[in-house]
Amino acid sequence: METARSEAARWARLNDLLLDALEQPAAGRDAFLDAACVDETGAPDPALRAEVAALLAAHEAAERDDAFTSPFALREAAGLDGARVGAWRLVEPVGAGGMGEVWRAERADGAYRQTAALKLLRPGLGPDFRARFLHERQLLAGLRHPGIARLLDGGEADGRPFLAVEFVDGEPITAYADARDLDVEARLRLFLQVCDAVAYAHRHLVVHRDLKPSNVLVAEEEGEPVVKLLDFGIAKLLAEGEGSEVPLTRTGLRVMTPEYAAPEQVTGGAVTTATDVYALGVLLYELLAGRRPYDLSGKTASEVERVVCEETPARPSTVAAVAPGAAPAAPRRRLRGDLDTVVMKALEKEPERRYPSAETLADDLRRHLGGLPVQARPATAGYRVGRFVRRHRLGVAAAAAVAMALVGGAAVALGQARVARAETAKAEAVNAFLIGLLGAANPDEDGRDVRVASLLDRAAADLGDAFEGQPDLEAAARHTLGVTYRELGLYAEAETQLGRALALRERLHGPRHPDVAETQHALALTRHEQGDYAAADSLYTLALATNRARFGQRHARTSLVLNDLGLVRYETGDLDGAIALYRQSLAIDEAMLGPDDRAVLQSLGNLAVALADKGETDEAARLFERTLATYRSEYPDDDESIAHALANLGSVRYDQGRGEEAAALQAEAVERFRRALGERHDYVAFALSNLGSTLGSLGRHAEAEPILREAASIYEEALGETHPNVGFPLVNLAKTLRELGQLEEAEAAARRAITLFREGFGPEHFAVGRALAALGDILMDGGRPADAAFRDALAVQEATLPPDHPDIAGSRSALGAALAALGRPDEAGPLLASGYEALRTSLGPDHARTRQAHERLLAFQQAAGR
């Protein structure tokens, strides 16, 4: 008995020394061991020091190799083969951990045949470790899920607690995927099984805290891979009043695997469901990229803390193609965009910025696999519309997309027990609501073509009753419903739902809350897309102030609002303001996402458009060339994005006097837009308008006329007859009809465009100037006074464009010609000369506009006898 007591005391001292040593910086551990490993007299104890050093070495090996085989375990395992533990017989050791060893065991009591993984607590660990071991057993007793290895038995044998769980004959998830060369979709489906198991644990108020490949095994059942979650040894119970966490022997010792630990684990902060979401993000990163986000090998504890808490990992797509063991079917372009965004959201440093639960992470991945927009991605208009159109069908099946959007929008985090139970009840309420919504779509009663809009209308009508007394959930559902209405082009319905969501959120949270900013942004987009630029500008500005205050300047939400606000400023003629906002957004995106990310390319495109309209065509052309080349190489199947880049580069080529090249680019843009978005989308109208304008400049007016008429018709159908965008093809049509000699219809088209631009954009917008200039040309051809039109055009252009812009020079030349026709040569001569010289400088002597100005000047000089 005395020997056993002495041995137990020695084990306890070894345990204390190990834990104390782990608290020391790596560089100071040798000095600590020299001072601490002494006998009763204070003399050095080399044997004790050697044993503690061996334990430290085993611990470091565990961190490197994701396994832990300690001298404790080796010593305890010796001689236990065939030993009886309760109703089980130990067959062979299969692993070891800090609290004991794990054996493959067979049922030995004759009741029935069964294999188990039996975890046996090693002796001498003290009451804290024993309590943690029993805590794990209690947690497992309450979990019943096919993705979690189930508890089979538990008890004590010779004073040593044990637990027997389902034996999983499988491989770590990463090894399983790599050994079978699984493609990205197959890896995501495996990972979704992990998320489902973790989400189940979260709903039962359990956080695992040690998710890593060795704790996520994949076995095959009837030829299908099945994921099993293991080892809840350091799990945390969130339930109130149940001892939420078993204390550790040393408060400074953080039980975790550093490579998969969240920042709050590394720093000793509060552990919540978001902690598991971070580990899931690391696991997903490793599955897709073939490596972990950080290399922590050889780093001290302080270095680990700095890396995990401060360094931003590279996006998976930037390392997947070069990392050993990377998913063989995961080229960089396959991971760029949605998957990069999903992984990086899961890996946010601050818990509140991650996905709030494993369920919402899984939801985004399912949306990605289904071709739907993921909730994590900044919702640029092109991304939203493209995704929606590509997967949208008008039958009952589309209701699944609506349901997915509503669930994604309403999901909230599981925190402590009281909040968790409330949110679970809300989630169940949402599910019941959606089931009722889908069940209402009965083809037998409503006909086979049950439309999405009808289902949304039913949802809107039922929302108030469905979420009575739950204003936060009602606000989230109305927000998402409003966004879905907007994506369908149902703007009045969108405004109704978003307005109600905004009122609820402001009443709940006050005016400067992120949820309020989110709805302000969504409502701004709705007003923006209807041409209500003043309201959109105000709402964007409010959302931007809140995002900057809450998230900082370098954040995706800040960048997104900057970009959209820049678009409003651009569309209302404030080119300098737009360019400044675009440059801010671009700087944030490039720093966060890298040069080839879609968001960066979209920001580049917006900046280039504004630069082109300001007359800085060379810089604009360089930016468009870069975006087009990147889209073609990295996203070759993305017709919509490539079409935008083609159309924009074509416009710049036109401004550079390279008309044939411009027409070829714009024709390809039309083809790609039609393929991506259908025949009657407003982006098709945009591309057709540009193509028609270019063909007209090349003298191919008969080809241009039907193209421009189609563009105007599509815009009217898609956006409404009074939308200012209808004016762009009308201006181009007016120019073409003028060349074809149809002056009366040309004048009507020009005047209608002027009205649309003035009412939609305001009287001082560069588009108004262009339309007035077109009207002046038509009036001159008809032998009517045109000086007033050209003066008005010049006034608008001088107020909105830089002094050296070609449009200003062109209007000077045209006004000079109009004054010359009216017999006012003293006024005409300087305008004709200055206009020609400015165009020759900015566009070159061979540009069509320069040649036209030259002809006007020559005609004037000849008439004057010079």
Side-chain angles (χ1 to χ4, degrees), residues 162-468:
F162 73 88
L163 60 88
V165 299
E166 175 186 0
F167 184 83
V168 181
D169 187 11
E171 303 171 63
I173 187 170
T174 48
Y176 180 92
D178 291 340
R180 290 156 183 79
D181 290 345
L182 297 185
D183 62 17
V184 172
E185 283 68 25
R187 290 168 187 253
L188 291 178
R189 285 192 291 271
L190 274 183
F191 183 76
L192 285 171
Q193 291 189 50
V194 185
C195 290
D196 288 343
V198 174
Y200 172 86
H202 288 179
R203 288 195 297 273
H204 287 72
L205 308 177
V206 175
V207 181
H208 189 283
R209 298 202 294 178
D210 197 24
L211 295 169
K212 54 187 177 182
S214 62
N215 284 339
V216 182
L217 299 188
V218 182
E220 292 194 347
E221 297 180 3
E222 299 180 354
E224 294 296 322
V226 176
V227 166
K228 294 287 185 179
L229 200 61
L230 310 179
D231 199 352
F232 282 76
I234 63 170
K236 177 181 179 181
L237 184 65
L238 294 174
E240 294 178 321
E242 297 179 25
S244 63
E245 186 171 359
V246 176
L248 303 176
T249 304
R250 289 286 185 273
T251 57
L253 177 62
R254 293 154 197 159
V255 182
M256 61 187 174
T257 304
E259 286 80 1
Y260 298 87
E264 61 269 22
Q265 283 179 288
V266 173
T267 60
V271 172
T272 68
T273 53
T275 305
D276 278 352
V277 169
Y278 184 94
L280 287 170
V282 178
L283 185 60
L284 180 58
Y285 191 113
E286 191 171 358
L287 269 174
L288 297 177
R291 50 162 282 187
R292 291 188 287 266
Y294 308 107
D295 180 9
L296 302 181
S297 58
K299 288 184 168 55
T300 64
S302 61
E303 290 172 334
V304 167
E305 182 172 334
R306 180 188 59 78
V307 170
V308 173
C309 297
E310 298 177 14
E311 289 190 6
T312 300
R315 291 170 297 123
S317 66
T318 64
V319 299
V322 296
R332 292 186 176 192
R333 67 171 177 261
R334 177 64 183 86
L335 302 184
R336 283 189 180 126
D338 286 352
L339 291 178
D340 269 344
T341 303
V342 168
V343 172
M344 298 306 285
K345 182 175 178 65
L347 293 177
E348 286 279 8
K349 305 297 184 187
E350 297 82 6
E352 62 273 12
R353 295 189 183 182
R354 297 175 208 146
Y355 288 98
S357 68
E359 194 169 21
T360 52
L361 168 58
D363 178 66
D364 246 4
L365 291 174
R366 290 190 178 98
R367 292 177 69 84
H368 170 76
L369 288 172
L372 295 162
V374 299
Q375 300 294 333
R377 168 171 279 280
T380 60
Y383 173 78
R384 290 192 316 273
V385 173
R387 284 283 170 153
F388 186 81
V389 171
R390 279 195 290 276
R391 54 89 181 167
H392 179 52
R393 298 292 181 272
L394 291 178
V396 177
V402 181
M404 190 77 74
L406 285 169
V407 172
V412 288
L414 174 68
Q416 40 81 21
R418 179 181 55 78
V419 175
R421 293 188 182 103
E423 300 308 333
T424 298
K426 291 177 183 179
E428 290 172 352
V430 172
N431 287 337
F433 173 71
L434 294 175
I435 289 168
L437 169 65
L438 296 176
N442 187 337
D444 293 333
E445 296 177 6
D446 301 329
R448 296 186 60 84
D449 189 17
V450 182
R451 298 186 176 273
V452 175
S454 300
L455 294 173
L456 293 177
D457 292 342
R458 294 177 187 179
D462 293 343
L463 267 178
D465 292 336
F467 301 124
E468 185 177 2

Side-chain angles (χ1 to χ4, degrees), residues 555-577:
H555 192 275
R557 288 181 62 163
T558 301
S559 172
L560 182 59
V561 181
L562 281 167
N563 185 79
D564 289 341
L565 180 58
L567 185 57
V568 165
R569 299 285 169 84
Y570 166 80
E571 291 176 338
T572 53
D574 181 6
L575 292 180
D576 288 330

Side-chain angles (χ1 to χ4, degrees), residues 100-187:
E101 64 272 4
V102 181
W103 288 77
R104 183 170 68 85
E106 302 287 350
R107 191 87 187 187
D109 60 359
Y112 48 87
R113 298 182 62 183
Q114 191 174 28
T115 302
L118 190 143
K119 188 171 183 178
L120 188 63
L121 185 70
R122 61 181 172 82
L125 281 180
D128 290 340
F129 279 94
R130 181 185 180 91
R132 283 182 51 217
F133 188 89
L134 297 176
H135 172 66
E136 177 185 6
R137 194 167 71 190
Q138 183 60 44
L139 288 180
L140 285 174
L143 299 179
R144 293 287 186 273
H145 187 275
I148 298 175
R150 68 185 184 280
L151 179 68
L152 302 177
D153 192 10
E156 290 197 13
D158 297 327
R160 297 176 62 181
F162 73 88
L163 60 88
V165 299
E166 175 186 0
F167 184 83
V168 181
D169 187 11
E171 303 171 63
I173 187 170
T174 48
Y176 180 92
D178 291 340
R180 290 156 183 79
D181 290 345
L182 297 185
D183 62 17
V184 172
E185 283 68 25
R187 290 168 187 253

